[in-house]
Amino acid sequence: MVLLRSGAAIVPHKPGRDPGWPHTRADIALLGVYEITKILVRPGRIEITLANVLTLLSSFLDLHHGIVALLDENGDPHTVVGAGWTEEQAQRHFARMPERAVGQIVTTKMPVVIDNVALSPLFAGWQPDPDRPAGERVSFIGVPIKDRDQVIGTLTIEQLWKEDEAYRAIDDDVRFLVMVANLIGQTVRLMDIVGRDRERLMAHQRLLEKELLDQTGVSASARGIIGDSAVLQSVLQKIRIVARSHSTVLLRGESGTGKELFARATHDYSPRAKKPFVKLNCGALPESVLESELFGHEKGSFTGAHAQRKGRFELADGGTLFLDEIGDISPAFQVKLLRVLQEGEFERVGGMKTIKVDVRLVCATNRNLEDAVSKGEFRADLYYRINVVSIRLPALRDRKEDVPLLASEFLRRFDAEHHSEHKLTASAFAVLDACYFPGNVRELENCIRRTATLARGADITDDDFACRHDECLSASLWKGVLPAPFKPVTPSRPVPDAEPAPSAPHQAREPIETDKGDTVKVSRDQLIAALEATGWVQAKAARYLKLTPRQIGYALRKHDIELKKL
């Protein structure tokens, strides 16, 4: 873009465009407002947005410096952005500006235009930047940024002129800056409204959930926990018992086992069911954002904090707070969280007032916290605080009898969403029954949705599944990890309800003779592979290898394998 100076303004001219357009200041202002509006409507941090506005503005007004400062209720700046500057540089420059000049803009709510700041009483004693070229004077234009009739900030620019160059403060230029400032004010106001609506919508959602629970008596199963297997019902029964207390619950299990659903069930079965259920994924946020999300912040406590905001602890007062991926928080933040759990009180970020809350905490993780504690990655005192009652959620492979129910429900949801009708045939159920599903329920849902999307007819058969055409996503994702069936060891007596065993590296099978005189051939690597696949549960590994509990016990002792406690 070539810049052509015309009085106080710069006329942008792009190659290939008629050099006669834009040919008036009105055209220039219209083009500038259009381009700046495109920047303001893009999602992003307010600081980045304002910096982009100033950069574009410099191509129209030939700025030496440009500053946007947003003010709090006391008139103090909480966000300061400069063209081509870091936030710290912009704040230092704004702090050097005379309070009288900025104050006049805020007080009168009118623009301030100064030809030569060296001759203005508003800039008495002010020293320009040392990088100003010799023989040039500084002019100043400042306009208020308004939210309706309230001044919430200022837009100021400085320009350099030759000492002998005539300066004309053209009304069109001031009006152009006023329009830009108004657009900025509307954008800031919109962001404040969105922030307030966030809390309002969360409160409304909780109210609707309470009404649903009161009117229909919706149970935990109706909220998404599907299945009638013994292992699942055992977990739900345990949750019903635990829910009656206020003890902290730690849900453990692999990714995709539905920890959030079980946390919701803990809340629904508890005396706090009519109070808020608030959730937060700790692993998805950096430490600085996590602290603000959990504890809230005061207005102006940091850049971008345009209004006071309650944290998740306050929103969950009287109810339940679910913290997912608790094992991923940093050691520094573990200390802050521990204090809240110990004392039941905290301060908002940037605040001095101590806030007390009554919150029932439910945490979840797929990490081995005991191992993290031993390595110093997780504080032992916090571990004991959150691990009062530990509940291990079953993997889908441990409740295979629930697969048909889950698959049918996922297909029903797909058809309701797409206004279609599908049915799983017997051959389709056979394919699902043979799958290992390392991604658990989440992977099963993905499999059903993908198959229904690509199905050639209403009846879904085995040929519609990706695994029948070597296109299975799990086979690629879990390559080298996913257990594959191999020819099982034949024990001396049959074992009912045996499951296929996972593959293991080739190793000579050493005969093992038990005290009953029967002989079983199983290698050390086969034993370890089976134990790894079953979470080091001896009884499950025995079923995988088609061994009796007594036989696998002898094999473990023979190969000197010590069971891990996960």
Side-chain angles (χ1 to χ4, degrees), residues 10 32 36 39 51-63 66 68 155-157 176-177 180 184:
I10 293 298
I36 288 173
I39 293 175
N52 291 336
V53 168
L54 287 172
T55 300
L56 182 61
L57 195 60
S58 65
S59 68
F60 286 87
L61 296 179
D62 192 23
L63 306 183
V68 171
L155 167 60
T156 58
I157 68 169
F176 175 50
L177 287 175
V180 173
I184 294 174

Side-chain angles (χ1 to χ4, degrees), residues 97-138:
M97 292 180 61
E99 293 185 9
R100 293 180 62 188
V102 177
Q104 181 167 319
I105 299 172
V106 175
T107 303
T108 64
K109 303 179 183 180
M110 296 292 292
V112 172
V113 180
I114 299 174
D115 177 4
N116 187 350
V117 298
L119 304 178
S120 172
L122 294 178
F123 280 79
W126 181 75
Q127 294 295 326
D129 286 340
D131 61 345
R132 177 175 61 100
E136 294 194 352
R137 68 179 189 276
V138 180

Side-chain angles (χ1 to χ4, degrees), residues 243-352:
R244 295 198 293 263
S245 70
H246 300 298
S247 300
T248 302
V249 177
L250 178 62
L251 301 176
R252 315 186 70 165
E254 301 173 9
S255 178
T257 50
K259 300 183 190 70
E260 183 178 331
L261 294 177
F262 286 94
R264 167 73 73 169
T266 305
H267 173 74
D268 289 343
Y269 286 133
S270 74
R272 301 170 178 258
K274 295 184 178 181
K275 295 293 184 177
F277 174 80
V278 180
K279 58 190 178 182
L280 181 66
N281 188 330
C282 299
L285 300 173
E287 182 178 329
S288 58
V289 178
L290 183 60
E291 182 175 6
S292 175
E293 283 292 327
L294 279 178
F295 306 141
H297 62 251
E298 298 291 347
K299 182 176 180 179
S301 57
F302 55 85
T303 300
H306 304 301
Q308 183 193 81
R309 188 170 120 184
K310 293 182 178 180
R312 304 299 173 99
F313 269 104
E314 280 186 85
L315 295 174
D317 190 22
T320 304
L321 176 61
F322 172 53
L323 299 182
D324 199 5
E325 306 296 349
I326 190 70
D328 293 341
I329 63 176
S330 67
F333 192 76
Q334 292 173 26
V335 178
K336 300 176 182 178
L337 181 59
L338 179 63
R339 178 192 170 229
V340 180
L341 300 185
Q342 287 176 333
E343 304 174 12
E345 60 185 33
F346 60 92
E347 293 84 33
R348 296 192 189 108
V349 177
M352 301 296 292

Side-chain angles (χ1 to χ4, degrees), residues 396 399-408 432-433 437 444:
L396 185 57
R399 54 185 187 108
K400 295 296 288 289
E401 57 266 49
D402 291 335
V403 170
L405 290 174
L406 287 164
S408 299
L432 295 174
D433 185 64
F437 290 116
L444 172 60

Side-chain angles (χ1 to χ4, degrees), residues 279-549:
K279 58 190 178 182
L280 181 66
N281 188 330
C282 299
L285 300 173
E287 182 178 329
S288 58
V289 178
L290 183 60
E291 182 175 6
S292 175
E293 283 292 327
L294 279 178
F295 306 141
H297 62 251
E298 298 291 347
K299 182 176 180 179
S301 57
F302 55 85
T303 300
H306 304 301
Q308 183 193 81
R309 188 170 120 184
K310 293 182 178 180
R312 304 299 173 99
F313 269 104
E314 280 186 85
L315 295 174
D317 190 22
T320 304
L321 176 61
F322 172 53
L323 299 182
D324 199 5
E325 306 296 349
I326 190 70
D328 293 341
I329 63 176
S330 67
F333 192 76
Q334 292 173 26
V335 178
K336 300 176 182 178
L337 181 59
L338 179 63
R339 178 192 170 229
V340 180
L341 300 185
Q342 287 176 333
E343 304 174 12
E345 60 185 33
F346 60 92
E347 293 84 33
R348 296 192 189 108
V349 177
M352 301 296 292
K353 179 183 176 182
T354 298
I355 301 170
K356 295 188 70 70
V357 291
D358 173 26
V359 172
R360 201 274 179 78
L361 193 65
V362 178
C363 302
T365 184
N366 57 9
R367 292 190 61 191
N368 187 328
L369 290 185
E370 291 78 11
D371 185 52
V373 170
S374 65
K375 293 179 179 178
E377 299 172 354
F378 200 86
R379 293 179 63 94
D381 44 7
L382 179 59
Y383 168 80
Y384 291 119
R385 282 284 176 180
I386 65 174
N387 194 26
V388 178
V389 178
S390 180
I391 299 178
R392 182 167 292 278
L393 306 183
L396 185 57
R397 58 183 172 275
D398 296 329
R399 54 185 187 108
K400 295 296 288 289
E401 57 266 49
D402 291 335
V403 170
L405 290 174
L406 287 164
S408 299
E409 173 61 18
F410 293 146
L411 186 59
R412 183 195 66 78
R413 295 178 187 177
F414 177 88
D415 285 339
E417 179 183 338
H418 295 84
H419 306 289
S420 58
E421 291 186 7
H422 291 91
K423 183 178 70 175
L424 291 167
T425 63
S427 63
F429 282 119
V431 171
L432 295 174
D433 185 64
C435 288
Y436 185 74
F437 290 116
N440 291 297
V441 178
R442 188 180 293 118
E443 182 186 351
L444 172 60
E445 181 177 12
N446 178 278
C447 175
I448 293 298
R449 294 183 69 87
R450 181 185 188 278
T451 304
T453 300
L454 299 176
R456 289 162 291 191
D459 292 342
I460 297 177
T461 66
D462 57 344
D463 191 57
D464 290 316
F465 286 87
C467 55
R468 288 293 186 264
H469 304 281
D470 296 326
E471 297 175 354
C472 180
L473 300 177
S474 286
S476 302
L477 184 64
W478 303 97
K479 187 175 182 180
V481 179
L482 183 66
F486 71 98
K487 187 175 181 180
V489 178
T490 305
S492 57
R493 64 186 70 178
V495 180
D497 300 327
E499 302 177 27
S503 61
H506 177 73
Q507 180 175 325
R509 298 179 180 178
E510 180 179 346
I512 301 174
E513 184 174 342
T514 70
D515 58 352
K516 299 294 184 180
D518 50 353
T519 302
V520 176
K521 293 183 178 180
V522 61
S523 71
R524 177 183 177 86
D525 285 350
Q526 285 178 323
L527 280 170
I528 293 177
L531 289 167
E532 290 284 357
T534 58
W536 286 82
V537 178
Q538 183 173 332
K540 294 180 182 179
R543 291 197 299 270
Y544 267 110
L545 294 171
K546 294 187 179 294
L547 300 176
T548 65

